[in-house]
């Protein structure tokens, strides 16, 4: 091939490449339906409609175009996944994974951190923020006021502590975190009984939590159940004990929300469940009886649901307002204000209550377009105990979807 032919070939290759690139960009900008939310990365994606609110002179238009092209590009998540894999491999080459179990390393460009040389993944650690401080104090005040106005109802707070709220990583990473500071703010300002899942060291964390997810393991949820029963009834109340552990022959492999956010670059873990001799109970939502989803019915349910998020099948959240009715008619009633952690303990708590009313305030608002009102509910239902049991972000969390924590505030009638 002479030089003239080679030059023509190179020009043709460049033209084909540029035409293909501009074709893809035209498709992304003018034809492709924009993807607004990345369920894998748990964030909003930039799209070209946002250009209407931007100015050229402050760089807003240029920055938005760059972000929109990156976020709306075809096969974007597959490219991000490959990039994360490469980032992890490069990190391992230049920043060797520490043998120190408490050392944290970032996974690619995400906010997710890897724990030591394990495949355990956690969220970023807590920094000081005076707005967070004010919100914890405000929530404690609201709960105290509710307790004062309903002296015949026993009220309790249980916090399912997550590891990024603790200070166990501070020394190894030479940092100062504030998760325990916020915990103490809440605990010290509450005037009702308080308890939490205690994570004293890395062994506790690995026992109580799934390695690639923000939810607790079968051991963590069982410890949470024991803590809650002790909190509400004292140590003389007999708890349910596991009658078996289902290991599924180590063939049920779980990859959770953290794994999804980083592109599944690490292997999954075997999923285990305790089996219990549960009392007979029924579940109702919108006055309709529901199929039972719990740890005892998991194997049958997973066949029909074929869900990749198997934690949610074993610990099923039916909806934002659910009634659990046990076979015991002579026991107390409970109002449980919670989140997705509650589903793991509600079947076990059926041993101790005749009825549990479960409310998830954020999703309750999305269902009814009104905030859950405590005064209205308590005036129309016989309640013996109230348990506030939700993770710490619901005390303060604000993100691009709105003020999630505000919906967990204690909303009451005017003047209360």
């Amino acid at each position: 091939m002479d030089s003239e032919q080679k030059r023509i070939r190179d020009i043709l290759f460049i033209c084909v490449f540029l035409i293909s690139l501009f074709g893809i960009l035209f498709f992304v900008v003018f034809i492709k339906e924009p993807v607004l939310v990345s369920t894998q990365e748990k964030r909003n994606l930039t799209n070209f409609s946002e250009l209407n609110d931007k100015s050229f002179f402050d760089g807003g238009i240029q920055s938005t175009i760059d972000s929109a092209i990156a976020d709306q590009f075809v096969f974007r998540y597959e490219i991000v996944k490959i990039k994360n894999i490469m980032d992890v491999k490069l990190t391992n080459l230049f920043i060797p994974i520490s043998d120190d179990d408490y050392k944290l390393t970032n996974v690619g460009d995400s906010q997710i951190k890897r724990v030591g040389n394990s495949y355990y993944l956690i969220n970023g650690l807590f920094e000081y923020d005076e707005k967070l401080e004010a919100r914890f104090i405000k929530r404690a005040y609201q709960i105290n006021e509710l307790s004062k106005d309903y002296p015949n109802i026993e009220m309790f707070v249980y916090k399912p502590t997550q590891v990024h709220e603790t200070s166990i990583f501070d020394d190894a990473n030479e940092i100062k975190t504030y998760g325990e500071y916020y915990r103490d703010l809440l605990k010290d300002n509450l005037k009702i009984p308080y308890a939490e899942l205690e994570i004293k060291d890395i062994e506790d964390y690995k026992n109580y939590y799934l390695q690639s997810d923000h939810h607790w393991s079968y051991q963590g949820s069982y410890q949470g159940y024991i803590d809650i029963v002790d909190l509400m009834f004292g140590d003389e109340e007999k708890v349910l004990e596991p009658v078996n552990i289902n290991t599924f022959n180590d063939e049920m492999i779980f990859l959770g929300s953290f794994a999804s956010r980083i592109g599944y670059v690490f292997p999954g873990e075997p999923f285990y469940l305790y089996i219990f001799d549960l009392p007979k109970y029924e579940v109702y939502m919108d006055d309709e009886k529901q199929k039972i989803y719990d740890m005892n019915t998991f194997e049958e349910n997973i066949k029909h649901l074929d869900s990749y998020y198997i934690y949610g099948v074993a610990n099923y959240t039916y909806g934002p307002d659910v009634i659990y009715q046990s076979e015991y008619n002579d026991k107390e009633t409970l109002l449980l204000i919670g989140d997705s952690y509650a589903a793991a303990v509600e079947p076990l708590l059926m041993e101790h209550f005749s009825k549990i009313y479960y409310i998830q305030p954020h999703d309750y608002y999305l269902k009814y377009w009104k905030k859950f009102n405590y005064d209205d509910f308590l005036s129309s239902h016989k309640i013996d105990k109230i348990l506030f049991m939700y993770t710490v972000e619901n005390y303060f969390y604000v993100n691009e979807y709105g003020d999630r924590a505000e919906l967990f505030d204690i909303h009451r009638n005017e003047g209360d």
Side-chain angles (χ1 to χ4, degrees):
M1 182 183 296
D2 59 27
S3 60
E4 182 64 21
Q5 289 176 318
K6 184 176 183 300
R7 189 172 70 85
I8 293 173
R9 187 198 66 180
D10 291 344
I11 291 173
L12 286 174
F13 175 81
I14 292 171
C15 289
V16 170
F17 175 79
L18 291 175
I19 290 171
S20 300
L21 180 61
F22 282 114
I24 292 173
L25 290 176
F26 182 86
F27 172 76
V28 168
V29 176
F30 298 105
I31 300 175
K32 178 177 176 285
E33 186 73 23
V35 179
L36 302 181
V37 177
S38 169
T39 56
Q40 292 89 1
E41 297 167 83
K42 312 295 183 189
R43 70 176 182 89
N44 286 348
L45 300 179
T46 306
N47 63 88
F48 292 98
S49 66
E50 296 178 30
L51 289 172
N52 297 330
D53 303 323
K54 305 299 179 182
S55 167
F56 179 84
F57 298 102
D58 62 4
I61 286 181
Q62 302 92 308
S63 175
T64 301
I65 289 175
D66 289 344
S67 297
I69 290 174
D71 281 357
Q72 300 300 326
F73 205 79
V74 289
F75 304 117
R76 177 189 165 280
Y77 183 62
E78 287 74 14
I79 295 170
V80 170
K81 179 176 178 179
I82 293 170
K83 179 182 181 301
N84 281 334
I85 292 173
M86 296 304 297
D87 284 344
V88 170
K89 291 185 180 300
L90 287 172
T91 298
N92 291 346
L93 283 175
F94 296 104
I95 308 177
I97 298 300
S98 173
D99 289 332
D100 186 341
D101 287 340
Y102 292 88
K103 193 71 175 177
L104 302 176
T105 52
N106 290 329
V107 181
D109 293 333
S110 73
Q111 297 298 312
I112 304 299
K113 298 180 184 296
R114 182 179 181 181
V115 179
N117 60 5
S118 72
Y119 294 125
Y120 279 83
L121 304 169
I122 69 169
N123 269 321
L125 303 172
F126 276 88
E127 299 178 355
Y128 177 74
D129 186 327
E130 63 181 15
K131 292 181 181 178
L132 268 63
E133 183 179 68
R135 285 190 166 220
F136 278 105
I137 295 173
K138 175 186 176 184
R139 185 67 53 79
Y141 171 79
Q142 292 175 340
I143 293 173
N144 291 338
E145 289 297 297
L146 185 71
S147 176
K148 184 175 67 175
D149 291 342
Y150 292 92
N152 295 326
I153 301 176
E154 294 183 274
M155 301 187 192
F156 308 87
V157 169
Y158 182 74
K159 183 166 74 67
T161 306
Q162 299 176 83
V163 73
H164 66 280
E165 301 166 41
T166 72
S167 62
I168 66 172
F169 300 110
D170 285 19
D171 291 342
N173 296 277
E174 299 180 349
I175 54 176
K176 167 65 176 174
T177 60
Y178 285 85
E180 292 180 359
Y181 172 75
Y182 297 127
R183 181 273 314 274
D184 290 341
L185 269 181
L186 177 66
K187 181 179 179 181
D188 294 343
N189 282 280
L190 282 170
K191 296 180 181 179
I192 66 171
Y194 167 94
E196 63 181 40
L197 182 73
E198 293 188 8
I199 301 177
K200 299 184 291 292
D201 52 35
I202 201 74
E203 285 73 26
D204 280 348
Y205 159 55
K206 290 182 178 180
N207 280 333
Y208 292 156
Y209 277 87
L210 297 161
Q211 68 180 21
S212 64
D213 197 72
H214 59 289
H215 287 110
W216 46 21
S217 68
Y218 69 105
Q219 292 168 297
S221 59
Y222 183 59
Q223 184 60 53
Y225 158 68
I226 293 172
D227 292 344
I228 290 168
V229 171
D230 183 61
L231 172 68
M232 292 195 294
F233 296 100
D235 56 13
E236 293 184 0
E237 179 83 356
K238 186 177 180 181
V239 297
L240 289 172
E241 295 184 0
V243 296
N244 194 14
I245 179 172
N246 198 339
T247 66
F248 310 102
N249 297 317
D250 286 348
E251 294 174 353
M252 186 74 68
I253 303 300
F254 177 68
L255 286 160
S257 58
F258 292 152
S260 171
R261 287 166 61 183
I262 63 172
Y264 301 105
V265 298
F266 295 139
E269 65 178 316
F271 187 74
Y272 294 170
L273 284 175
Y274 279 142
I275 304 301
F276 296 90
D277 184 12
L278 296 172
K280 293 179 182 179
Y281 72 95
E282 296 173 342
V283 178
Y284 295 88
M285 184 172 63
D286 299 328
D287 296 324
E288 293 185 4
K289 187 176 177 179
Q290 304 295 305
K291 179 179 172 61
I292 296 296
Y293 295 92
D294 59 27
M295 60 287 290
N296 288 3
T297 63
F298 171 78
E299 281 193 278
E300 182 61 30
N301 290 330
I302 196 69
K303 294 175 186 176
H304 299 300
L305 292 180
D306 193 28
S307 173
Y308 290 107
Y309 194 62
I310 55 181
Y311 172 89
V313 180
N315 307 291
Y316 192 74
T317 300
Y318 296 85
D321 55 333
V322 182
I323 300 173
Y324 290 75
Q325 177 74 56
S326 81
E327 62 180 309
Y328 308 125
N329 295 320
D330 57 344
K331 296 195 175 185
E332 294 181 311
T333 58
L334 173 70
L335 170 60
L336 196 164
I337 310 297
D339 53 22
S340 57
Y341 281 66
V345 299
E346 282 162 335
L348 302 178
L349 290 175
M350 284 283 84
E351 178 67 18
H352 309 275
F353 293 96
S354 63
K355 187 177 289 187
I356 296 176
Y357 298 91
Y358 166 75
I359 300 292
Q360 204 274 45
H362 175 267
D363 292 349
Y364 182 95
Y365 179 80
L366 296 181
K367 180 178 178 178
Y368 297 107
W369 293 108
K370 65 178 182 179
K371 297 167 183 175
F372 177 71
N373 185 293
Y374 285 79
D375 291 323
D376 289 347
F377 185 88
L378 294 176
S379 67
S380 58
H381 297 79
K382 181 186 179 300
I383 299 297
D384 297 299
K385 287 179 166 64
I386 298 177
L387 174 65
F388 298 94
M389 181 211 152
Y390 42 80
T391 47
V392 74
E393 59 263 27
N394 290 311
Y395 288 92
F396 68 83
Y397 197 44
V398 179
N399 66 2
E400 62 267 29
Y401 302 106
D403 193 338
R404 179 186 180 94
E406 195 273 338
L407 295 176
F408 276 81
D409 277 344
I410 312 299
H411 295 286
R412 304 181 61 187
N413 292 329
E414 230 176 280
D416 292 323

